[in-house]
């Protein structure tokens, strides 16, 4: 039996591996680079590269790749063998510092939003020494940044690293203004990964799943999640074998895979890691997603990471648990035993409240995708309105501060279980609100709006930058105030922030129509679709924010807005074309055959003097929506043939014109499916997909 402790991170060029393969002086320099953010001395690059190569070859590697995260939202890699010619019929394994530090993939073939043209192909990958290299399937993976020839960021990792510099600088400034001697901060993240598992053979029979990742048709199954019996249920043997292999692969790669369980919807599951530094967490979440999908095939399964693969049941999210710590102080979002006395915590909390209120648009647009639009506001996913949930105790404390009143602890601090053999259990200072987009959960904030497939770099880049800005605001106030007691000064600032930004605080039901109306009256944004959200990328205040903290240039912001808008319209058009194809090639021919069968039965019965009322009713229930589908198909095909000039116009056209027609076609087709014999229906239905996959 394998013992995890003995093989954990065995495929990672970890600190332990570095210590073994590097000279001691070089090892210490690498530790300084990784742990303290020092610049890598160029003179040690060859030594590090050679040691990394030797370690990788000892692990069975024959190739290396610069592994990066372009604006496709996924990862990219180009594999090169370690071999170099050493004479006729001879090679040597070689890997130099220049190959470790920099690569040169074709930048014109990745989304660039106009930063690169086809004739401007040069781009660079640059080694990120703060993230660990690893070996997978005989290849050494080297985490890298990706930029254009002119230095513009073409990836998701570069802005994330820039944002870490920004929040570190701003947080240290604030803490020092409050009297703390600190030298380093660290943003930590724990991304909870939700996903669906379905049978591979069923998957292959559904063109919509293969091409788009979601079902474009499908009437409700006979049983969904009404009984709440799937959540935390016992795990089937087939799924447990899959999870065991996933765990082993992830543990070998140093991923802290910790918690796994059934989620709410049938065939839905979750895998959550232990918190780690955000850059490492980002890389490891990419590893986790690819591992889930790769390992599923070994078990005759397919892992779906689409945000809403099935209509009528929960979609899959990725809850981004965000917190920040400082050396010697620990987690700055930990209130301690008495939050009302923790002025440091309350000051940082006020900065977060102000930031979320002022940059609601950024938090909405950083999770905006075509798939996530179908998930937000559905089942337990939060709505498209950004708000903060703090819980009763913190809300009461902040209200007392705002009103300059004494805080009276009227909330029970112990939860009595009513069982004499069990001790009292300390109650968290907050309950949980599953409809809240941004919820405080004891010592962290849970950003719940992310979709399952989303790269977490962008949301965390935004969070880091926004909160850096608000910490600077508080520092500006402190540095320009006359005060004798810094705690009293902070309390004044907190009070001012609360009076101006408390509209963002909400503890109720985010799904209710009353909240939508109240949010509108409060002046909060409700950006329903990706087409509504993404154009805010280049709002004046957002451009100013990112330029001030050196996260994005205006050109980089424009590029991202354009890339994501184009992706939204392209995904929608592909779904529209897939819908037309499935209707013409599969569904309608099958329906016609069933109609013919019914018509023959009706004629036969009538010929012998029998009634055929049931058959006639079924035929009517099929033919009536069928006629409407024909009209809407023509409309959809006409719309798909139209072109628009700008990225904004394309996205707006998809949201306003294409998607409504597609929804109507789906509704009509799903009604027909309910009346067509299983023998005739040409594709696996929801009962097949959701309940036969695990058998």
């Amino acid at each position: 039996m394998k013992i995890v402790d003995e093989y954990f991170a065995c495929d990672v060029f970890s600190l332990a591996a570095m210590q073994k393969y590097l000279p001691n002086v070089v090892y210490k320099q690498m530790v300084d680079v990784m742990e303290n953010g020092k610049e890598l001395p160029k003179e040690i690059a060859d030594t590090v590269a050679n040691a990394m190569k030797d370690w990788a070859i000892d692990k069975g590697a024959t190739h290396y790749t610069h592994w990066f995260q372009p604006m496709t939202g996924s990862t990219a890699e180009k594999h090169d063998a370690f071999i170099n010619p050493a004479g006729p019929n001879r090679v040597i394994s070689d890997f130099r510092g220049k190959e470790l530090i920099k690569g040169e993939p074709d930048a014109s073939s990745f989304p660039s939003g106009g930063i690169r043209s086809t004739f401007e192909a040069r781009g660079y990958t640059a080694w990120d020494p703060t993230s660990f290299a690893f070996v997978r399937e005989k290849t050494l993976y080297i985490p890298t940044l990706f930029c254009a020839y002119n230095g513009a960021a073409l990836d998701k990792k570069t802005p994330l690293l820039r944002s870490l510099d920004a929040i570190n600088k701003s947080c240290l400034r604030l803490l020092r203004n409050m009297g703390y001697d600190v030298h380093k901060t660290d943003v930590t993240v724990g991304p909870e990964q939700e996903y669906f598992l379905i049978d591979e053979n069923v998957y292959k029979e559904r063109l919509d799943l293969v091409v788009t990742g979601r079902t474009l048709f499908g009437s409700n199954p006979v049983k969904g999640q009404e009984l709440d019996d799937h959540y935390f249920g016992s795990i089937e043997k087939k799924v447990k074998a899959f999870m065991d292999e996933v765990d082993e692969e992830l543990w070998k790669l140093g991923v802290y895979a910790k918690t796994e369980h059934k989620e709410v919807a049938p065939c839905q599951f979750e895998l959550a890691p232990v918190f780690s530094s955000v850059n490492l967490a980002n890389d490891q979440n990419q590893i986790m997603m690819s591992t889930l999908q790769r390992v599923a095939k070994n078990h005759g399964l397919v892992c779906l990471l689409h945000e809403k693969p099935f209509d009528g049941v929960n979609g899959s999210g990725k809850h981004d648990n965000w917190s920040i710590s400082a050396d010697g102080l620990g987690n700055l979002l930990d209130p301690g035993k008495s939050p009302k006395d923790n002025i440091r915590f309350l000051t940082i909390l006020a900065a977060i409240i102000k930031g979320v209120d002022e940059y609601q648009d950024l938090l909405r647009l950083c999770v905006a995708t075509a798939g996530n639009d179908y998930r937000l506001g559905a089942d337990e996913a939060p709505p498209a309105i950004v708000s903060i949930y703090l819980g009763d105790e913190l809300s009461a404390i902040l209200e007392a501060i705002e009103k300059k009143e004494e805080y009276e602890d009227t909330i029970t601090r112990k939860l009595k279980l009513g069982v004499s053999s069990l001790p009292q259990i300390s109650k968290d200072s907050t309950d949980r609100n599953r409809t809240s987009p941004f919820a405080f959960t004891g010592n962290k904030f849970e950003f719940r709006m992310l979709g399952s497939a989303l790269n977490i770099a962008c949301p965390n880049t935004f969070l880091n930058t926004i909160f850096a800005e608000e910490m600077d605001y508080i520092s500006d106030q402190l540095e320009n105030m006359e005060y004798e007691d810094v705690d009293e000064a902070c309390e004044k600032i907190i009070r001012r922030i609360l009076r101006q930004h408390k509209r963002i605080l909400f503890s109720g039901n985010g799904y209710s129509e009353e909240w939508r109306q109240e949010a509108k009256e409060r002046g909060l944004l409700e950006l329903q679709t990706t087409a509504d959200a993404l154009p805010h990328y280049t709002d004046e205040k957002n451009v100013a924010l990112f330029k001030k903290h050196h996260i994005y240039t205006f050109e980089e912001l424009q590029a991202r807005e354009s890339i994501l808008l184009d992706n939204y319209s392209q995904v929608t058009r592909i779904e529209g074309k897939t819908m037309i194809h499935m209707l013409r090639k599969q569904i309608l021919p099958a329906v016609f055959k069933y109609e013919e069968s019914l018509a023959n039965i009706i004629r036969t019965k009538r010929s012998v003097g029998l009634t055929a009322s049931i058959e006639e009713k079924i035929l009517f229930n099929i033919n009536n929506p069928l006629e409407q589908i024909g009209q809407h198909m023509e409309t959809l095909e006409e719309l798909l043939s139209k072109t628009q000039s700008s990225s904004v116009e394309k996205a707006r056209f998809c949201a306003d014109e294409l998607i409504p027609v597609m929804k109507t076609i789906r509704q009509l087709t799903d009604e027909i499916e309910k009346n067509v014999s299983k023998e005739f229906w040409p594709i696996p239905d929801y009962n097949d997909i959701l309940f036969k996959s695990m058998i």
Side-chain angles (χ1 to χ4, degrees):
M1 180 178 178
K2 296 180 180 179
I3 300 174
V4 179
D5 302 27
E6 296 177 356
Y7 71 81
F8 186 83
C10 65
D11 290 338
V12 178
F13 194 56
S14 60
L15 291 176
M18 291 181 200
Q19 191 168 26
K20 178 179 178 181
Y21 282 83
L22 288 171
N24 191 51
V25 64
V26 177
Y27 166 72
K28 289 181 177 178
Q29 288 175 296
M30 276 300 300
V31 171
D32 214 21
V33 169
M34 298 191 74
E35 295 186 354
N36 300 315
K38 297 292 180 67
E39 187 174 345
L40 178 75
K42 292 182 180 179
E43 61 271 15
I44 72 169
D46 279 339
T47 303
V48 174
N50 189 60
M52 195 181 288
K53 179 258 300 180
D54 288 346
W55 169 81
I57 289 175
D58 287 346
K59 301 296 297 181
T62 57
H63 291 69
Y64 70 91
T65 181
H66 275 199
W67 182 65
F68 57 102
Q69 300 171 28
M71 292 299 295
T72 57
S74 185
T75 57
E77 53 197 65
K78 174 173 69 77
H79 294 214
D80 287 294
F82 285 121
I83 62 170
N84 277 318
N89 304 317
R90 291 182 60 241
V91 296
I92 60 170
S93 294
D94 192 27
F95 187 53
R96 304 293 178 88
K98 63 179 182 180
E99 296 165 319
L100 169 63
I101 291 174
K102 187 175 75 172
E104 190 179 336
D106 182 349
S108 68
S109 299
F110 290 101
S112 70
I115 290 178
R116 295 274 82 188
S117 300
T118 302
F119 66 90
E120 297 174 318
R122 195 180 297 276
Y124 296 113
T125 51
W127 177 37
D128 172 16
T130 64
S131 188
F132 293 102
F134 57 93
V135 166
R136 186 168 66 184
E137 296 180 336
K138 295 187 176 182
T139 298
L140 171 66
Y141 282 74
I142 303 164
T144 58
L145 289 68
F146 181 43
C147 63
Y149 179 69
N150 60 6
L154 294 176
D155 67 342
K156 294 179 178 290
K157 179 186 271 277
T158 301
L160 177 63
L161 295 179
R162 292 171 180 170
S163 75
L164 286 173
D165 288 340
I167 196 168
N168 179 65
K169 179 181 177 182
S170 299
C171 190
L172 291 180
R173 179 188 172 198
L174 175 58
L175 291 172
R176 287 166 183 167
N177 275 320
M178 295 180 70
Y180 297 100
D181 182 22
V182 289
H183 304 281
K184 183 186 176 185
T185 63
D186 187 26
V187 173
T188 55
V189 165
E192 304 169 24
Q193 181 69 53
E194 295 176 349
Y195 60 94
F196 281 85
L197 286 178
I198 65 170
D199 181 82
E200 186 175 17
N201 293 324
V202 171
Y203 169 81
K204 289 177 179 178
E205 293 180 42
R206 294 279 314 216
L207 182 66
D208 47 3
L209 280 175
V210 174
V211 174
T212 74
R214 77 181 184 99
T215 52
L216 301 177
F217 304 102
S219 62
N220 292 335
V222 293
K223 173 180 176 290
Q225 58 194 53
E226 302 93 334
L227 299 179
D228 299 321
D229 55 345
H230 194 263
Y231 192 55
F232 278 29
S234 60
I235 299 172
E236 294 85 355
K237 185 177 181 180
K238 185 177 184 179
V239 177
K240 188 63 172 69
F242 158 79
M243 288 180 170
D244 288 346
E245 186 178 347
V246 167
D247 284 340
E248 185 171 336
E249 286 225 8
L250 292 178
W251 290 337
K252 286 179 179 178
L253 294 171
V255 179
Y256 300 105
K258 177 74 172 177
T259 303
E260 53 200 18
H261 61 83
K262 284 185 171 181
E263 258 298 335
V264 173
C267 294
Q268 188 185 32
F269 305 89
E270 180 179 299
L271 176 57
V274 177
F275 279 56
S276 56
S277 296
V278 63
N279 185 36
L280 184 62
N282 177 50
D283 285 354
Q284 292 191 343
N285 185 248
Q286 294 297 313
I287 293 171
M288 181 182 289
M289 288 192 290
S290 64
T291 301
L292 287 168
Q293 292 182 313
R294 190 178 67 256
V295 171
K297 296 177 183 178
N298 298 341
H299 299 265
L301 300 168
V302 171
C303 173
L304 301 178
L305 295 176
H306 194 282
E307 299 89 344
K308 193 74 172 178
F310 306 107
D311 192 41
V313 298
N314 274 16
S316 287
K318 180 148 49 191
H319 303 158
D320 190 81
N321 295 282
W322 185 97
S323 64
I324 183 168
S325 59
D327 57 325
L329 299 178
N331 185 354
L332 299 177
L333 290 180
D334 190 344
K337 294 181 179 179
S338 181
K340 65 185 175 65
D341 295 328
N342 192 333
I343 195 67
R344 183 184 72 226
F345 163 74
L346 292 173
T347 301
I348 292 173
L349 179 64
I352 291 172
I353 291 170
K354 183 173 184 289
V356 174
D357 184 31
E358 290 184 337
Y359 296 99
Q360 306 162 45
D361 52 348
L362 288 181
L363 296 184
R364 170 63 180 95
L365 72 85
C366 74
V367 301
T369 65
N372 212 22
D373 284 356
Y374 293 104
R375 169 181 166 266
L376 293 178
D379 301 301
E380 71 167 29
I385 305 168
V386 176
S387 63
I388 296 177
Y389 172 79
L390 294 179
D392 294 337
E393 184 179 32
L394 275 179
S395 297
I397 291 168
L398 293 179
E399 184 178 359
I401 291 174
E402 181 196 352
K403 296 179 178 179
K404 299 182 70 173
E405 298 175 350
E406 286 294 320
Y407 169 67
E408 295 182 8
D409 187 358
T410 58
I411 299 172
T412 303
R413 296 310 306 271
K414 297 288 183 179
L415 180 64
K416 293 185 178 181
L417 300 180
V419 182
S420 59
S421 61
L422 292 176
Q424 288 186 327
I425 297 174
S426 295
K427 183 180 178 182
D428 287 338
S429 63
T430 70
D431 196 354
R432 298 186 69 188
N433 186 329
R434 290 189 173 276
T435 69
S436 175
F438 203 73
F440 183 70
T441 55
N443 60 359
K444 62 187 182 299
F445 273 96
E446 186 177 29
F447 189 18
R448 297 177 54 85
M449 296 180 79
L450 284 69
S452 175
L454 195 69
N455 184 305
I456 68 170
C458 183
N460 286 290
T461 296
F462 282 25
L463 291 176
N464 295 345
T465 308
I466 290 167
F467 300 151
E469 172 68 10
E470 305 307 351
M471 289 179 189
D472 278 350
Y473 167 82
I474 295 176
S475 287
D476 289 342
Q477 299 294 304
L478 288 172
E479 290 166 5
N480 289 283
M481 287 173 65
E482 292 186 5
Y483 57 84
E484 294 183 1
D485 185 276
V486 69
D487 289 0
E488 291 183 4
C490 286
E491 189 176 335
K492 289 180 181 178
I493 296 169
I494 294 168
R495 187 174 299 116
R496 188 182 308 135
I497 288 174
L498 291 174
R499 287 171 178 167
Q500 295 173 350
H501 300 284
K502 64 182 178 182
R503 65 174 185 170
I504 201 69
L505 303 178
F506 177 67
S507 297
N509 179 8
Y511 292 160
S512 69
E513 190 60 36
E514 290 80 7
W515 167 234
R516 291 186 66 187
Q517 184 58 39
E518 182 183 339
K520 185 177 181 180
E521 292 170 0
R522 291 188 187 192
L524 301 182
L525 296 172
E526 183 177 9
L527 303 173
Q528 284 278 1
T529 70
T530 295
D532 297 325
L534 287 178
H536 288 281
Y537 241 113
T538 48
D539 284 358
E540 186 177 348
K541 71 176 179 63
N542 297 334
V543 172
L545 171 74
F546 289 120
K547 288 181 69 175
K548 173 185 172 182
H549 293 280
H550 309 289
I551 311 301
Y552 300 111
T553 64
F554 180 65
E555 180 185 39
E556 290 170 337
L557 281 172
Q558 276 188 316
R560 278 153 177 78
E561 179 179 295
S562 175
I563 289 167
L564 294 171
L565 284 168
D566 283 345
N567 177 268
Y568 172 75
S569 58
Q570 288 162 0
V571 166
T572 303
R573 285 179 173 276
I574 289 170
E575 290 182 349
K577 290 187 288 185
T578 304
M579 178 173 272
I580 292 292
H581 181 91
M582 291 180 70
L583 283 167
R584 291 204 181 279
K585 301 293 184 180
Q586 291 181 293
I587 295 174
L588 293 185
V591 173
F592 296 154
K593 286 183 180 179
Y594 187 58
E595 283 191 311
E596 181 183 15
S597 174
L598 284 174
N600 288 334
I601 293 172
I602 293 169
R603 279 195 296 270
T604 300
K605 280 191 168 185
R606 285 177 174 172
S607 69
V608 296
L610 298 175
T611 61
S613 58
I614 294 177
E615 292 89 343
E616 289 173 349
K617 185 175 182 180
I618 292 174
L619 186 58
F620 175 82
N621 289 339
I622 292 173
N623 200 62
N624 188 42
L626 188 62
E627 293 296 322
Q628 297 178 58
I629 286 175
Q631 298 170 10
H632 290 298
M633 278 178 61
E634 290 182 8
T635 301
L636 180 57
E637 287 176 312
E638 289 175 7
L639 291 173
L640 287 169
S641 68
K642 293 183 178 180
T643 59
Q644 299 79 38
S645 55
S646 71
S647 298
V648 172
E649 289 173 345
K650 291 175 184 176
R652 193 74 269 159
F653 175 78
C654 287
D656 297 339
E657 303 289 338
L658 274 181
I659 290 176
V661 175
M662 291 166 61
K663 285 183 176 179
T664 299
I665 290 174
R666 174 175 186 149
Q667 290 168 356
L668 292 168
T669 308
D670 290 353
E671 281 300 312
I672 290 175
E673 181 189 342
K674 295 174 184 177
N675 291 282
V676 174
S677 166
K678 173 71 174 173
E679 177 187 354
F680 283 82
W681 195 249
I683 55 178
D685 61 21
Y686 273 21
N687 296 304
D688 296 326
I689 300 171
L690 296 176
F691 296 104
K692 293 184 180 180
S693 292
M694 298 302 109
I695 297 175

